[in-house]
Amino acid sequence: MATILKRIASGNTPAVQECLDTYGGLVWSLALRMLPNQNDAEDAVQEIFIDIWKNAERFDEAQASETTFIAMIARRRLIDRMRKENRKPNIDSLEDILVEPEGNDQNLQTCVEAQEAAQAMKNLRPEQRQVLHLSIVQGFSHQEISDNLKMPLGTVKTHARRGLLEVRELLGLGNSDDKKEATV
Amino acid sequence: MNEEKKERLFELLADQSMVGLDEKELMELKQLKIQFPDWENDLSFELAAAAIGFTNLDTNKIVPASLRARILADADKFFNPTEEPREVRSFAPRKDVSSPATETVGSIVEVEPNRPIWQWLGWAVAAAACVALAFNLWLTRVQPTTEIVKQPENIQTPTPKLSEAQERDQFIASATDVVKKDWKSPIDEQKILGDIVWSNSQQKGYVRFRGLPTNNPTKECYQLWIVDETQDKKTPISGGVFDIAENGEIVIPIDAQLEIKKPIMFAVTKEKPGGVVVSKQTEFVAIAKV
């Protein structure tokens, strides 16, 4: 059977309900984590699902799982909303985050890429892993990370970029030529 | 020079996927992508960030019912901006598709257009005995000894295969947990006979109808719904869409879009061509409570 997104792209409207049932929890969880209140999160989730339907035909199962593709679309919208409204992530303080244990395996079954990304993160240098975690998982800006970690902004950016390139490579999303050229 | 530009391209792609870009940076990225067209549609950085973003994510959170309803309403608007017909299964020759359907329940139900589907249950149970009795009498006294199921003549079968009626019979014989319920019409004078069989273990089933009015596929279609106890009752699960081009008996495999955990009712509504994501539940044709 074709993937849910392929069916949506081909105009199979009942697959929309399946999409919501399958990925609603994922999108809702991402929104609640990145946006400060439930109303904002609800508005964002509505927008995200419209984005998903619009982009369904772009999904390439050879490149990534449907789960990761949908999470990517959700993150785009959530980042956009956070930037436009200058919102902070939905957590108390960065200090609290820093003392939380990382790499909880509770939800690593989400998809293959989730497991591989978790493994890839373990292979990074500690400072890269920390910056990536604060930036991508917790939604802090590079400036906020710089301020809280007392780390120069340029260094934060370098750790984040190099760490992401490394993970991208380990997930098989890039190639060695890219890596040689990308020395950010 | 090119190396520096490509390095900058990677920087911007990485930043975009982690924290987003401002207007100036977006313009810069756009210009760089023109110079490096291979990267025009690259998603690799965003996909990597999305995969990292799964860390510690509790995906078991339930979307609030009100939000779910709003999303499905959005979907209906998004996917049905026009009345253009979509692909619908047809189970008989369309030689008379232009003729109007015979009496339907639409006008009756429209009196209370927003009445939820499950509110019909009480009425349906009350009517069940009469319908079941009539069906039983019809089956035992009117039906020929050998049950003949009309084959859809316009469906091309590349290899010899069982008819849907034969598949249904095999299915009933093979599944150990088959639930069989008779269809009931929401109005007294409407004669809709037939049944629904469903197996939870096989996630498979069939609906069978006799005397379901023909529909004009350019204007409407029939859509099957499954109300699952574990799902929001306002948004039952679609079981597929179909057309009826002539009266007689038809057997239709159920095409459930989601796993059915505990079905409590099956229903058929009339919807716009191609079906809908969420039914307005204004034109019930048949219901079968499990």
Side-chain angles (χ1 to χ4, degrees):
Chain A
M1 179 183 271
T3 64
I4 294 173
L5 291 176
K6 291 292 179 197
R7 279 182 279 142
I8 289 174
S10 66
N12 179 341
T13 51
V16 170
Q17 198 178 64
E18 188 178 350
C19 180
L20 178 55
D21 282 290
T22 305
Y23 300 113
L26 166 69
V27 174
W28 180 231
S29 300
L30 283 169
L32 286 177
R33 183 161 75 182
M34 293 176 73
L35 296 174
N37 70 57
Q38 180 147 333
N39 286 339
D40 285 343
E42 289 194 7
D43 290 347
V45 169
Q46 268 188 275
E47 294 171 357
I48 288 166
F49 272 96
I50 292 172
D51 289 343
I52 290 169
W53 305 326
K54 285 179 181 170
N55 287 281
E57 65 184 356
R58 290 189 69 192
F59 171 61
D60 176 4
E61 56 191 315
Q63 189 174 26
S65 71
E66 209 169 50
T67 308
T68 304
F69 184 80
I70 284 175
M72 179 198 79
I73 291 174
R75 279 183 51 82
R76 268 186 198 169
R77 176 62 67 172
L78 293 167
I79 289 171
D80 190 45
R81 284 185 74 99
M82 286 179 73
R83 289 183 67 90
K84 278 181 181 168
E85 298 169 29
N86 198 24
R87 295 284 167 82
K88 305 292 182 195
N90 189 21
I91 42 184
D92 295 332
S93 74
L94 191 141
E95 282 180 1
D96 293 337
I97 297 304
L98 290 175
V99 297
E100 276 187 12
E102 288 182 22
N104 180 349
D105 288 344
Q106 178 189 351
N107 293 293
L108 294 186
Q109 299 305 315
T110 309
C111 64
V112 173
E113 287 98 329
Q115 298 173 43
E116 291 176 346
Q119 189 57 46
M121 288 282 276
K122 288 178 185 170
N123 292 337
L124 299 180
R125 288 163 54 193
E127 57 271 29
Q128 287 178 338
R129 183 164 61 242
Q130 185 180 41
V131 169
L132 270 190
H133 184 82
L134 292 170
S135 174
I136 293 175
V137 180
Q138 302 298 342
F140 286 100
S141 70
H142 290 163
Q143 186 63 58
E144 288 166 337
I145 297 170
S146 168
D147 293 344
N148 282 276
L149 295 182
K150 310 286 188 261
M151 187 185 283
L153 179 60
T155 306
V156 169
K157 288 185 174 183
T158 301
H159 285 325
R161 291 164 179 169
R162 284 184 177 163
L164 183 64
L165 274 167
E166 194 83 23
V167 172
R168 171 177 167 272
E169 200 70 29
L170 290 166
L171 290 177
L173 293 165
N175 60 54
S176 53
D177 288 342
D178 297 342
K179 195 177 180 185
K180 283 175 196 166
E181 293 177 64
T183 55
V184 289
Chain B
M1 190 64 169
N2 253 12
E3 287 296 308
E4 285 175 15
K5 284 183 176 176
K6 194 156 193 179
E7 194 172 311
R8 180 60 181 157
L9 172 69
F10 282 131
E11 280 182 5
L12 290 171
L13 286 170
D15 288 355
Q16 182 182 43
S17 64
M18 288 186 286
V19 292
L21 301 177
D22 60 28
E23 287 297 319
K24 189 180 168 189
E25 290 168 328
L26 279 171
M27 283 301 296
E28 187 183 356
L29 178 60
K30 193 175 174 183
Q31 291 300 319
L32 284 168
K33 281 184 173 179
I34 291 170
Q35 294 175 52
F36 297 97
D38 287 351
W39 293 87
E40 173 64 33
N41 296 311
D42 177 74
L43 299 176
S44 63
F45 288 86
E46 287 183 287
L47 288 168
I52 293 169
F54 289 129
T55 307
N56 295 344
L57 188 67
D58 176 9
T59 58
N60 293 320
K61 286 191 168 72
I62 306 293
V63 178
S66 59
L67 173 59
R68 180 186 163 80
R70 292 209 304 273
I71 293 167
L72 290 174
D74 286 346
D76 218 19
K77 288 177 195 163
F78 183 86
F79 289 99
N80 296 297
T82 66
E83 296 295 319
E84 288 178 14
R86 291 160 191 257
E87 184 183 349
V88 179
R89 296 191 70 170
S90 177
F91 290 88
R94 297 181 182 212
K95 59 190 177 188
D96 192 25
V97 292
S98 60
S99 64
T102 54
E103 184 180 10
T104 70
V105 297
S107 58
I108 302 296
V109 182
E110 278 170 7
V111 175
E112 294 176 304
N114 294 321
R115 194 170 186 174
I117 195 167
W118 50 93
Q119 288 183 14
W120 285 98
L121 289 179
W123 181 92
V125 171
C130 295
V131 176
L133 178 61
F135 188 37
N136 188 39
L137 286 171
W138 185 82
L139 282 174
T140 55
R141 298 184 185 183
V142 179
Q143 188 186 23
T145 309
T146 305
E147 188 176 86
I148 298 172
V149 177
K150 293 193 176 184
Q151 289 277 21
E153 295 169 15
N154 64 338
I155 294 179
Q156 293 182 354
T157 51
T159 55
K161 56 175 283 194
L162 297 176
S163 69
E164 270 139 352
Q166 289 169 325
E167 286 180 350
R168 174 184 175 278
D169 291 342
Q170 278 198 352
F171 160 72
I172 292 172
S174 65
T176 56
D177 62 339
V178 171
V179 174
K180 181 173 178 293
K181 293 291 169 185
D182 292 335
W183 287 112
K184 296 161 185 67
S185 168
I187 55 175
D188 292 336
E189 60 268 34
Q190 184 81 38
K191 289 203 181 298
I192 295 174
L193 302 176
D195 53 31
I196 175 269
V197 289
W198 175 259
S199 162
N200 243 28
S201 63
Q202 292 194 18
Q203 288 292 298
K204 184 177 177 183
Y206 293 84
V207 295
R208 183 168 63 164
F209 288 108
R210 286 193 186 91
L212 196 62
T214 56
N215 66 295
N216 181 343
T218 64
K219 293 181 178 174
E220 62 194 5
C221 73
Y222 288 106
Q223 187 161 5
L224 173 69
W225 300 97
I226 306 158
V227 183
D228 191 302
E229 191 174 82
T230 64
Q231 292 272 338
D232 186 345
K233 308 299 181 295
K234 290 178 183 173
T235 51
I237 298 163
S238 174
V241 293
F242 57 95
D243 292 328
I244 300 293
E246 70 173 21
N247 284 313
E249 178 171 295
I250 59 159
V251 176
I252 305 163
I254 294 174
D255 180 22
Q257 296 298 313
L258 293 174
E259 181 186 358
I260 308 301
K261 292 178 180 165
K262 191 171 182 186
I264 54 175
M265 191 171 77
F266 294 80
V268 174
T269 60
K270 272 194 174 178
E271 305 292 352
K272 62 180 75 170
V276 294
V277 179
V278 181
S279 175
K280 292 188 173 64
Q281 302 177 1
T282 56
E283 284 202 64
F284 284 107
V285 176
I287 52 176
K289 187 184 176 189
V290 177

